[in-house]
Structure formats: structure tokens, C-alpha cells
Amino acid sequence: MTVIDLPPTLDLVPVVTGDPEGVDDIARSLRDASAVFDDLDSTASANVAPSGWEGEAAECYGARVREVAADAGTTSLTLRAAALAFDTYADELTSIRTERERLVDDRYAYRAALVDLRQDIEATGGHTPATQEQIAEFQSRASDLRTWYATHVDDVEAMLARVTANDEALRSVLTSYATMADARVNTAGGDPADALMQRPGAPGTGGTAEDTAAWWNGLTEAEQAAVIAAYPDVIGAADGLPTVARDEANRLMLDNDLTALGQAEANGTITYEQQRILDNARAAQRGLDEAASTVDPITGETLPAFLHLYQPDAFDYDGRVAIAVGNPDTADNVTTLVPGMTTTAQDAAGYAEDAGNMVQSARLSGAGSTAAIAWIGYDAPSDWDTGSVLFEGKATEGGELLANHVAGLQAARGDNPPHMTVVGHSYGSTTMAHAATDHGMGSIVDDLVFLGSPGAGSAEHASDLGPAQVWAGNASRDPVARLADDGWVNGGTFFGAGMGRDVAEDTFGAIRFQAEDVDRNAWQDDGFITSMHSHSSYWEPGSESLYNLGLIVGGNDAAVVQAGHTYDPWYAGVQDHEYDRTPNTYPDRVAAEGDG
């Protein structure tokens, strides 16, 4: 009688405890604290010798402040080292948990194969004995299972060894900084981030966005973490760096502003300037919350939100903020929304909603993965300087900032450029025009979209903006769009009070698309039968404008619903056939209610 030697069943795969996301939260908290102590170090170091104070008391004060600064610096570096250790621990824990899932699946597969072999052997135990061929097959399968069993047991032991090693690595780092004396020894070499920021290509050294991207890619993970913690203000605003890195740096500053200034407000010690920063910080957080509520209408998944830019004190406290819906570093399609006059950081949530609507429209039109950035990144005319909207100075200055922003997005992508679109609204469209004509942005994007545009700056023709495809989405009853200069006598409805050529005119050379406000008749507010509602409705879900924007952003140019151009015969003034057309609606292109 032939005996088939079967291997035993496998034990349950041990549970791996721990929450990688919770560990990541600890690491973020440590980095936040590290930045606070780094600021304390810088502030204390800058105030060692107050002007005009001399003598023994001043010397004692200076000595004590130097000690505080040194200890603050040591604490900052210690917390940074701990944060990196927790990051490493979380990454390894995630990998181990993934391995455990594989081992669980492997155990189930082994068990099924063992049961099948037993059943096949038992099936030959009746009146008909197994043939030699069957016995050979059973023995071969049993041998394979024994090898499988041994391999699985070894893999489980290796997994458990990784768990132990991961725990020990974290413990080793933390215990090496157990006392302030230990920390001083470990940080005696100073902050490594200082030297890293002096390398060629580092932000602030005068390089291009491509240089900055190359510098970043040349850093180790630990070095990247170091410069984020030590220079969050520089990293968060550096064009050419990955979105995730900028987001981490900017959220670090945002969290600190919300906490520290919120406490000062509660204590009644906050200054006017600090209150402006806190207000902008809260607006940025609202914008992030709005962006994070956007749901991809195709997958049903919530899209990630990123704080791409955060400078709450910029432009005399109007603030600079950019919020991305989706990841611009990985999306197939990337678009930047450039807002118009009166826009400040306080408008972050509204423009984040517009960005979410853009992404949803593109996805509903059949586009691949899409990211949209609400870019409040230039000093738009607002508040006390609203009158500057009559001139192009702000647009000219903003054009350089916008061109740098777009160049940074492209540099961060390296050899994997996305389909890139820039959408300029109102005064922001003139800013976009200057970015193209003055700084070559039209050569590094695929599409330039003018919405409610008062004019194209110095461009006399679409070709002056570069090789990018130029689109015009001016609604016929938008009073701002009607400011632009038109053809025969170079005077528009309001006698050439705009910012250059009318981009919707037949001789300008842009492709005009349907962008009428469906509610335009209900919002007539002056003798010209125009409406500011038409100027602010371009991103409304279900509208002509948003429908066509989704197609443009997704690269589906052939499906864009075109509109007739304006024209200016010498005998009749500016003519626009869109004025009397009944606007369309696209309810099938509206994402589920509440999804952004």
C-alpha cells in the first residue's frame, strides 16, 4: 500500500498591530512642533543684543537668550529626527501589513490546494485502486505542498522579524535623544538644512524651475524632510517642487498660524497684522475643506486637496493662496484658474469650488484624471487699490508670477508633461495674456482660455500669445467683456475702456465657444441690458461655459460647442449674434448634489 505524505495545515498568520495613518499624524505633529522651535531659535538669535542696551545686565540677558536659542535649535532638530523616524516606521508598517495580507491570501490558497489533494486521494479509496500514474501525481502535488508550506512558514517568520526590527529602529532613534545632553551631542553638527539650501538650484539661489526640480530630486528623503521643516516658507512657495512637498510645507505653516494666532486672538493680544494673517489662514483652511469635498463623478472617490501656495501676509495682507483639487503632479490634465479683480485670499473657498466644478466637468466629459488649481497668486486690484483695474500694471506683474507658476508645474512633471490649460477670468485673463506675451507661457501650455475678458493686453492677435490654442468664452451680456476694444474703429461698447483687443472678435483669431448665462434675462441691471451675474456665472454646474471648459481641459477640442464671433462693421457698431440666442443647459453634466 502506497502512503502519500501530506504536509500539515498552516497556522493563522499573526496579526500585525499598528495604524500607519495614526503614526503619520504623530510625525506631522512633530514637524509642526519642530517648526515652532526653529522659529524660536531664529527669533531669539536675532534679539541677543537689543539696540542701545549695554552693560552687565545686557550681557547676562544676551547669554541667556543665546542659551534659549541653542536649546530651541536642538529641540527643533530632535523633533525633526523623531518625525523622520516615525515616517520611516509608518512606511515600513504599511509595507509589513501589505505583506501580511499577501500571506493571508497565500494561506487560503494553500489550504484549498491541500483540501483538493485530500479529496482526490480519497476518491481513489473505493473499489478501484489508484493507478501508478495517479499515485505519482499525488506524490508530486504533496511534494509541492511541502515546499509551499516551508516557504510560507519562512515568510511569516521574516515578516515577524521585520516587525521586531521596525520597532527596534524606532526605539533606537527615540532613546538616542532621551535627554537634552543626548540631543545636544546628536545635533552638534548644526542644521543640515542650512547647507542644503546653499546648493545650486535650491530655491532662492537664482535658478530656474527646472534647476529647482533637479536640486530637489538630488536630495535624500531625510534631506527633503529637513528642508521642509527648516524652511517651510521657502519650500511651500518654490516653483518646480512636487505638489506633495509644497503641501506639507504650507500646511505646516497654516497649522502653526491657526494655532498660535488663534490663541493670541483668544487672549486678546493679537495685533492688526496678525489678525489679517489669521483671517487668511482660516480662509485657506475653508478652501482646503471645500476642495477636499470634491468627489470624482466617475469613480465616486473623494479627490485629494493640496495647499499649493500659502503666503497670508503677501500683498499688504491680501494674501497669496493656491489650492489644488487633484494632484497636478500625476493627473493627465492640469488646469490653473486665474481670478480677476477684487480677489484676495479670503476668496479661497469660492475658487476652490470653481476648481472642483472644473474637474468634475472634465471627468463627466470623458477626460482622464484631472487636477485644477485655484491660483490666487498675484496682486489683483482689490480694496484700497481697486482703481488700479483701470491700468494693466497689476496684470503685467501678475503675468510673471503666473508664468513662473506654470513653468514650475511643468518642471515638477519632468519628462511626463500633462495636457496643460490656463483659464483666465476677467482681469485675470489680461494677466494670463501678459504671462503669454511677456514670458512665453503660451509656448509651454496647450490651451489658453479667456473668460469674461476685458482684453488681451498687448496681443493684437491670438498668434501673439504663442502656439497654444486660444479660446474665448465671453458671454454677450457680460459688461466686463464688453469693455474690450473692437475692430473697425478700435472701440467697444464702452469706447475702448478695456485692457486690449476683444478676444471674441472675428479678427482676433481665437475660437469662441458658447458661454451664455442661462439666467441672463433675469439679471438685467442697466440700460445696455448687461449683467454682472453673466460675469460671474462661468463655472456654474450645467452651464454652457462649464460644459465647454470641461471639454477643453480634457483635450476634447472637437466636441466644444463653438459660438459666432463678434464683429464691428463701420456702419453699425459691435454685433454679437449670441445676444439673442437661447442659452443651453447641460443637466447631465452636473455631478451629484453636494459633490463640490
Side-chain angles (χ1 to χ4, degrees), residues 101 108 127 138 190 212 267 278 340:
E101 291 174 1
Y108 279 120
H127 298 291
F138 294 155
T212 299
N267 294 339
L278 178 58

Side-chain angles (χ1 to χ4, degrees), residues 17-396:
T17 60
D19 175 17
E21 292 185 359
V23 176
D24 281 333
D25 288 341
I26 294 173
R28 276 192 293 273
S29 297
L30 290 170
R31 279 192 293 272
D32 287 349
S34 173
V36 171
F37 279 99
D38 188 74
D39 288 344
L40 176 58
D41 178 13
S42 300
T43 301
S45 297
N47 291 278
V48 169
S51 177
W53 189 19
E54 299 179 354
E56 184 177 350
E59 293 175 0
C60 290
Y61 167 83
R64 180 55 183 151
V65 169
R66 278 189 286 271
E67 291 177 4
V68 170
D71 285 349
T74 297
T75 303
S76 176
L77 295 175
T78 298
L79 291 170
R80 190 189 307 169
L84 180 59
F86 275 105
D87 278 334
T88 303
Y89 181 88
D91 291 342
E92 177 66 358
L93 180 57
T94 298
S95 177
I96 292 171
R97 288 168 68 91
T98 300
E99 171 65 3
R100 182 184 181 275
E101 291 174 1
R102 184 193 71 79
L103 290 172
V104 169
D105 292 340
D106 186 67
R107 178 179 176 274
Y108 279 120
Y110 172 86
R111 178 183 177 185
L114 183 60
V115 169
D116 287 345
L117 178 55
R118 284 175 176 163
Q119 290 176 345
D120 290 346
I121 292 173
E122 291 172 359
T124 62
H127 298 291
T128 304
T131 64
Q132 290 300 315
E133 289 79 5
Q134 288 175 317
I135 292 172
E137 178 196 349
F138 294 155
Q139 289 175 332
S140 176
R141 289 167 62 185
S143 176
D144 290 343
L145 284 172
R146 286 193 295 274
T147 301
W148 189 345
Y149 177 92
T151 300
H152 181 91
V153 170
D154 289 344
D155 288 347
V156 169
E157 291 178 354
M159 180 196 73
L160 294 175
R162 289 178 63 188
V163 170
T164 300
N166 198 33
D167 290 343
E168 175 57 28
L170 179 60
R171 187 199 66 79
S172 177
V173 172
L174 297 181
T175 56
S176 69
Y177 290 86
T179 68
M180 181 59 78
D182 293 332
R184 290 191 184 106
V185 170
N186 289 331
T187 62
D191 192 341
D194 295 339
L196 297 173
M197 294 299 289
Q198 298 303 314
R199 289 183 182 178
T205 59
T208 64
E210 289 78 8
D211 294 332
T212 299
W215 166 80
W216 178 263
N217 292 330
L219 301 180
T220 66
E221 182 178 347
E223 289 172 338
Q224 291 172 352
V227 295
I228 288 174
Y231 295 91
D233 55 330
V234 178
I235 300 301
D239 295 317
L241 296 189
T243 295
V244 171
R246 293 183 63 165
D247 176 73
E248 182 177 343
N250 288 322
R251 284 182 189 259
L252 190 157
M253 294 188 293
L254 174 64
D255 291 345
N256 285 343
D257 284 346
L258 291 172
T259 301
L261 298 181
Q263 187 61 55
E265 181 186 54
N267 294 339
T269 59
I270 194 168
T271 65
Y272 170 79
E273 291 79 9
Q274 289 173 333
Q275 186 67 62
R276 293 288 301 275
I277 292 173
L278 178 58
D279 290 344
N280 286 339
R282 287 169 173 165
Q285 186 60 63
R286 290 194 297 272
L288 281 171
D289 293 342
E290 175 62 42
S293 72
T294 306
V295 174
D296 187 315
I298 305 302
T299 66
E301 297 178 352
T302 302
L303 292 168
F306 300 93
L307 188 54
H308 204 262
L309 179 65
Y310 176 70
Q311 294 179 328
D313 58 346
F315 306 137
D316 196 26
Y317 300 98
D318 280 352
R320 297 183 75 207
V321 173
I323 295 173
V325 179
N327 191 342
D329 294 346
T330 59
D332 299 325
N333 310 290
V334 176
T335 183
T336 296
L337 283 63
V338 187
M341 65 174 289
T342 76
T343 305
T344 69
Q346 288 296 301
D347 301 298
Y351 280 100
E353 180 180 8
D354 294 339
N357 289 341
M358 287 270 286
V359 171
Q360 290 180 329
S361 180
R363 294 288 284 145
L364 288 168
S365 73
S369 58
T370 302
I373 303 171
W375 187 77
I376 307 175
Y378 77 108
D379 190 10
S382 61
D383 302 325
W384 64 270
D385 65 345
T386 300
S388 63
V389 74
L390 298 175
F391 310 98
E392 294 183 39
K394 300 284 190 181
T396 302

